[in-house]
Amino acid sequence: MKKLVNRIFNNEILAYLIFGVATTIVSVATRLIVFQLTDQEQLATLIGNIAGILFAFATNDTIVFKQERKGWFQRLIRFAIARSGTFILDMALTEIFVKQFPGIIGQFVHNNKSQINLIETLFAQVAIVVLNYVFSKLFVFKNKNKA
């Protein structure tokens, strides 16, 4: 079992996918909880993204891309900047599909606002995970520590 776990975590793409799913769970759960508490779509999207970014950086920096401890703050800044692009995409999709044109999704879920928000969130997360991997690989985690 230990060999299997090591093999998975030593494969960058598999590790990224596993922690991408975990990040999505953290982000979506936070977003849905905040939405249920406040009924504010954009606030929920903002707080969910912040939680996801912090969790993703911690796991990507140490486990996925196996970076040296040195220089972590500069990587965190680059990571946050790279993630701001997908954050803007997430906010735009929320604005379009949940606030401005909820009927596009709502026609399939009896215009239930919570279900519209959930479906848009899940759709957006697929695009975000792919884009975030590309941004992380190209701009943030360049010098891998071969420990």
Side-chain angles (χ1 to χ4, degrees):
M1 182 65 152
K2 187 176 181 178
K3 277 186 173 184
L4 176 62
V5 171
N6 282 337
R7 188 180 307 159
I8 290 170
F9 288 126
N10 285 329
N11 182 313
E12 186 178 276
I13 292 175
L14 284 178
Y16 185 83
L17 288 174
I18 289 167
F19 287 105
V21 169
T23 297
T24 300
I25 291 168
V26 168
S27 178
V28 170
T30 303
R31 179 176 175 165
L32 295 176
I33 290 167
V34 172
F35 180 73
Q36 288 301 316
L37 293 173
T38 66
D39 200 36
Q40 298 293 315
E41 303 89 351
Q42 301 292 29
L43 178 64
T45 302
L46 172 68
I47 294 173
N49 267 274
I50 291 169
I53 287 169
L54 293 175
F55 180 82
F57 178 77
T59 58
N60 285 338
D61 195 56
T62 58
I63 300 168
V64 176
F65 297 107
K66 297 175 178 48
Q67 301 291 293
E68 293 177 356
R69 186 80 178 123
K70 182 180 178 185
W72 72 269
F73 188 71
Q74 292 81 8
R75 285 191 305 277
L76 175 60
I77 298 300
R78 287 194 312 263
F79 190 80
I81 291 168
R83 295 284 169 119
S84 67
T86 54
F87 169 69
I88 291 168
L89 173 65
D90 198 7
M91 293 293 278
L93 291 172
T94 300
E95 182 67 26
I96 292 165
F97 291 108
V98 180
K99 292 190 78 174
Q100 297 298 321
F101 303 102
I104 294 171
I105 297 171
Q107 65 184 322
F108 303 107
V109 294
H110 306 292
N111 291 313
N112 180 300
K113 192 173 182 181
S114 290
Q115 289 181 353
I116 294 167
N117 187 54
L118 173 64
I119 291 167
E120 181 279 325
T121 299
L122 295 174
F123 171 76
Q125 290 305 308
V126 171
I128 288 166
V129 166
V130 171
L131 289 171
N132 283 340
Y133 178 78
V134 171
F135 294 156
S136 290
K137 191 74 176 159
L138 294 176
F139 304 115
V140 181
F141 303 109
K142 297 177 185 178
N143 53 355
K144 193 173 188 176
N145 178 20
K146 302 276 186 183

